[in-house]
Structure formats: C-alpha cells, structure tokens
Amino acid sequence: MTSSALAQWQPQNVGTDASFRAVSAANEKVVWIGGTRGTFVHTSNGGQSWEQGQVPGADSCDFRDVHAVDDQTAYLMSAGPAEKGQARIYKTTDGGRNWTQLYETKQAGVFFDGMDFWDKQHGIVFSDPPANGKWFILTTDDGGKTWQPVPPEALPAMQPNEAAFAASGTSLVVQGKRNVWIASGGGTVGRVFRSTDRGKTWAVSNTPLPAGSATGLFGLRFFNEKNGMAVGGNYQQTTQTGPNAAISRDGGRTWQAVSPTDPPGLKEAVALLPGDRLLTIGPSGSSISADQGQTWQRLDTEGFHALACVKGTCYAVGAKGKVAVQRFK
C-alpha cells in the first residue's frame, strides 16, 4: 500500500490558536482537547462542529493532559510550576459550561506531567520529582473530589535528573482496572515504571531507548495488560535519527527496540489501529506499522504532539490551534 492510498489528516477549524498537547476521545465522536491559556476544545459529533472556551481563572494554565469521560464530563490537568499556581486539576460535568477546580498544590518542584482514569471514580496523576527525588503521585477513588498522595517509600529510586515530559498526555497511561505505567527521560536511559494495583506499589524497568537532558520516552500506550509500546526522542533535535520506539510483551517488565520510524525523529504518542497496526506521531511527522514496528511507512510530515484513536478514528493535535482527524479502515 502506498502512502497515497492511505487516508490523509483532515484539518479542523476549532476557533482558537491555543497550542495543544492533550487530546482524549470518549468514543469516535466525543473528543476533548486541552491547551494553553486555559483553553479547552470539545466536539460531540466527530468534528462536524467544535466548541471552545477558557476555564475561568485558569488563564495562566497550560492543559497538558485531558481525560474524556463522555459528552458532558471531562478532566483537565495543568502542567507548570506549582509555586506559580500551575499545578491544578479541573472537572466539568455539563459539557464545559462550568468547571470545578478539584485540586491545586503550591509545593515547590511539583510539575504535573500526566493524568488518567481507570473508570469514572478511580484516577491517577503524577509530577516530576520534587526535592525528595521520587515521583509525586496522587490517586483518587471518588471521581476527583479528593486526592491521596502515594507514599514516596512505595516508589523506586530515580536516576539523577530523571523526570517526565508533559508533551502528549501519554507519559502516564492506564489499562484495565488496575494497571498503570509511567515513562521517563532525562536520566541515563529511558525507563518505564509500572504498577498493577492502581499505584500503591511500583517497579521499574530499563528500555533500550536513550535518555538525557532533552531525551527520553515521551509517550506510552498499552493495548492490553501485556502488550505496549513506548516512543520518544530528543525535543531539541526533533528530526534526529536513531532508536525512538520500543515494545513490551510482558506488561512493561522487559522492552525490545523496534525499527526507527519513518520519518525519523521525536515521536510523542502512539496508538493502535484496526488490524493491529500502529500509528505514531511527532513534530517530524506520522508513521504507521503493520508488523509491530519491524518496518514503518511514512504517512506524512505533518507535525503533531498528541493523539487519540478509537476504532480507527484518530484525532491529532499540535501547536497554534492545530487539530486534524483521520479515519483508518
């Protein structure tokens, strides 16, 4: 199949030039997007029309993760220094007309990177390590009304300078009823932290992908409890060639490098398409694989930061209000 035989990204006019690094699809038609300047965007009809707005009092917030529950209900997570009032979580239950601030911390060093929910009640959010050198992780079991910290002693030790990238809303992902994974960079090697009990206890594994000051894992996706993929690269050299994807077949315990994508360079998010195909996106373009990453086909060189797919309907978002839809057979 040639790239010309594949569907193309269809640009969407969402009525704002806010930059986006967060998108979540409740189903093929209901999608929520988070962006800069406290902006959110929402469709309930598969992109035929889009509603956009700003969360009151959140002008300084950059919503780097979003979780869509349904047409009416969604969560937004703000990334940025907590001491500057940017570590916040919001929720709407009326389609974005009103937003409730569920959580905020001013603890120095906290910088939220990712958030996800197993179901309507149980969720998790995490931050780069503050002064104690461990991830700052919170969980909720009441739909975000209250959040409990995971004790630092339940977490593995971190490498020097290890942190996460709040780049695509997929540096933390959940699967099933209790599984969760976190992707890291910044240290000496890209690593994946994993928990099978909703974040109570954790283990960590190395991947074959490199890490460094601007390098590491940017996105994860687990397709079931065993099989998942991590993607990454260097955000300062977004077209740099080299290994940028790895696969796990044992729940994240071990990782094997797959072929570098085409186009090469930083990949920030990955999704599963019908027919067990893989789609990955990043600033240098989109790649698709029909053989679990052994080979990649260049889809295009459109730059995106975040990706959400349901049953082959994919939404990709990027800088300056960029939103696109593509439907894969």
Side-chain angles (χ1 to χ4, degrees), residues 1-7 277 288 290 297-299 328-329:
M1 183 185 289
T2 63
S3 57
S4 60
L6 291 164
R277 291 170 297 165
I288 194 165
Q297 182 178 354
R298 177 178 299 216
L299 204 55
F328 295 87
K329 303 295 187 198

Side-chain angles (χ1 to χ4, degrees), residues 159 162 181-185 187-194 204-211 215-220 222 228-233 243-248 250-258:
Q159 300 172 352
E162 190 173 19
W181 296 266
I182 288 173
S184 81
T188 54
V189 63
R191 302 204 296 172
V192 174
F193 296 71
R194 66 186 187 278
V204 63
S205 299
N206 290 353
T207 74
L209 302 185
T215 304
L217 308 181
F218 280 68
L220 288 170
F222 270 79
M229 178 166 269
V231 295
N244 61 356
I247 202 160
S248 176
D250 57 9
R253 288 170 181 80
T254 62
W255 293 85
Q256 297 79 42
V258 297

Side-chain angles (χ1 to χ4, degrees), residues 161 163-165 167 184-187 210-218 232-238 240 266-268:
N161 303 313
F165 297 109
S184 81
S213 61
T215 304
L217 308 181
F218 280 68
N234 182 323
Y235 72 77
Q236 292 178 342
Q237 300 180 51
T238 58
Q240 186 179 60
L266 173 62
K267 293 291 172 276
E268 293 179 290

Side-chain angles (χ1 to χ4, degrees), residues 116-118 173-181 222-227:
D116 211 342
F117 282 77
W118 291 274
V173 294
V174 304
Q175 181 277 331
K177 295 182 177 180
R178 307 183 73 82
N179 298 321
V180 55
W181 296 266
F222 270 79
F223 315 117
N224 51 46
E225 65 179 15
K226 296 293 187 188
N227 298 298

